[in-house]
Amino acid sequence: MRQALDLAQAAADAGEAPIGALIVDEATGKVIAEGANAPISACDPTAHAEIVALRRAAQALGNYRLTGLTLYVTLEPCPMCAGAISHARIGRVVFGAEDPKGGGVVHGPRVFDQPTCHWRPRVEGGLLAEGSADMLRAFFRARRKPGAGEPPS
């Protein structure tokens, strides 16, 4: 999760919401893929850290099924990402901070609890949650300051 936090910081440094993700083969300990939030820079509303990592893992393995792998992400996945995680058949999801406003796993629609969900990973929340939440709060607090978010002159 510390690597995911580093990816989140890199996203923040690039002006993106600080969310990082990585996919690990727990059997070998090998990191298969990583991702950082990039919807702004990629001009892609689906470029959430989880989606970026899922795409890279599928490419690296030559298979869209990622059964048996673990996704580490700094924030509770949103409903879109939870749906993609289910379709990829990720074996386990470990997230940092909960997202009561936009989450889709333990909040909101609770995608994996729906009877129509075809694959349910094991889910663990709260790993390094305070560091994840602090990074997000600091990022958005800075963006709310007067003059923040204006293009450089």
Side-chain angles (χ1 to χ4, degrees):
M1 185 61 83
R2 293 198 193 284
Q3 286 177 270
L5 282 168
D6 291 342
L7 292 163
Q9 185 60 58
D13 293 345
E16 302 279 359
I19 303 165
L22 46 104
I23 296 177
V24 177
D25 181 340
E26 296 293 345
T28 65
K30 179 182 175 189
V31 174
I32 304 297
E34 52 186 43
N37 240 33
I40 297 167
S41 60
C43 297
D44 179 357
T46 69
H48 289 196
E50 301 95 310
I51 301 291
V52 172
L54 288 169
R55 287 176 178 156
R56 289 177 177 167
Q59 288 295 311
L61 298 175
N63 192 339
Y64 74 103
R65 303 285 184 168
L66 304 176
T67 309
L69 302 179
T70 298
L71 169 71
Y72 290 88
V73 61
T74 57
L75 183 66
E76 174 187 350
C78 73
M80 174 186 70
C81 292
I85 289 164
S86 178
H87 282 282
R89 289 177 166 70
I90 286 284
R92 180 172 159 236
V93 175
V94 180
F95 67 86
E98 290 187 7
D99 187 359
K101 191 173 178 181
V105 176
V106 298
H107 295 94
R110 299 178 187 227
V111 172
F112 303 136
D113 293 340
Q114 299 305 312
T116 55
C117 182
H118 65 280
W119 179 266
R120 293 168 181 82
R122 293 184 324 277
V123 176
E124 300 169 32
L127 182 61
L128 299 179
E130 191 171 322
S132 297
D134 289 346
M135 190 181 299
L136 284 157
R137 276 191 291 271
F139 177 82
F140 287 110
R141 189 177 309 120
R143 302 211 27 121
R144 285 191 294 270
K145 287 183 182 177
E150 294 177 8
S153 47

